[in-house]
Amino acid sequence: ALGAIIGAAVGGASGAVIGRQMDKQAEEIAKTVPDAKVERVGEGIVVEFSSNVLFGFDESNISSDAKISLNKLVTVLNTYPETDIEVQGHTDNKGSESYNQTLSVQRANAVTRYLTSAGISSGRLNVKGFGETLPKYENDTEDGRTQNRRVEFLITANEKMKAEAEQDAQN
């Protein structure tokens, strides 16, 4: 997540303008979607939904509870249309690497389809599956494996927001 956000960074005065906008958006997400982990990283935001919110074991169908949480996130995302959203799917280490890679993409695609059906422009969305390659939690316990079955959202400034921040920084 950090690498993708750093790659999207602008820096300087423009970065400070974007940072303030991202701070505001992150606060709104944290307040509106209390069951998600929200973290400000560089000039972006990382939002993590764990599998107990989104998916059952070995599943890519979004749960009804997840739809409630995703609807809350959509409300905030629609308030900030000048951001891009990378939807990242992850799995635990049960099963083969190739199977888990496919499952992680299926999870990210399921969330992306849901977001577009809820009104988020598909042009803002990018899908990545990481399979079991980026665990955040220990895979040697059931609790850790459950937490590794997750989807994360990387929210960064799009080109329009970057241009407007550059203009604001010059004024």
Side-chain angles (χ1 to χ4, degrees), residues 31-167:
K31 185 172 51 175
T32 306
V33 193
D35 52 348
K37 291 182 186 176
V38 180
E39 182 181 3
R40 280 280 287 112
V41 178
E43 293 173 9
I45 304 166
V46 178
V47 180
E48 179 185 332
F49 282 81
S50 64
S51 70
N52 58 353
V53 175
L54 290 176
F55 305 104
F57 174 73
D58 196 29
E59 291 182 9
S60 61
N61 297 325
I62 301 171
S63 71
S64 56
D65 286 345
K67 290 176 183 179
I68 293 168
S69 295
L70 288 171
N71 287 338
K72 292 175 185 177
L73 180 62
V74 164
T75 300
V76 178
L77 294 175
N78 278 330
T79 305
Y80 297 90
E82 285 83 33
T83 55
D84 289 332
I85 306 143
E86 183 173 289
V87 181
Q88 297 184 342
H90 300 272
T91 67
D92 62 23
N93 64 351
K94 293 285 187 182
S96 71
E97 285 184 30
S98 63
Y99 180 83
N100 286 335
Q101 177 61 36
T102 300
L103 181 59
S104 69
V105 171
Q106 290 170 341
R107 287 175 172 170
N109 278 327
V111 170
T112 299
R113 281 190 303 275
Y114 189 81
L115 293 177
T116 56
S117 74
I120 300 293
S121 167
S122 61
R124 296 176 62 190
L125 298 165
N126 182 33
V127 172
K128 287 202 175 166
F130 290 97
E132 62 188 66
T133 63
L134 296 174
K136 274 191 171 177
Y137 308 95
E138 295 295 324
N139 267 317
D140 56 359
T141 68
E142 185 55 39
D143 185 54
R145 286 188 295 274
T146 296
Q147 292 179 76
N148 280 326
R149 297 188 292 264
R150 68 191 191 280
V151 170
E152 293 181 338
F153 301 85
L154 274 57
I155 303 169
T156 56
N158 69 11
E159 293 306 315
K160 182 179 177 192
M161 180 186 269
K162 289 176 185 178
E164 289 173 356
E166 181 67 33
Q167 190 78 17

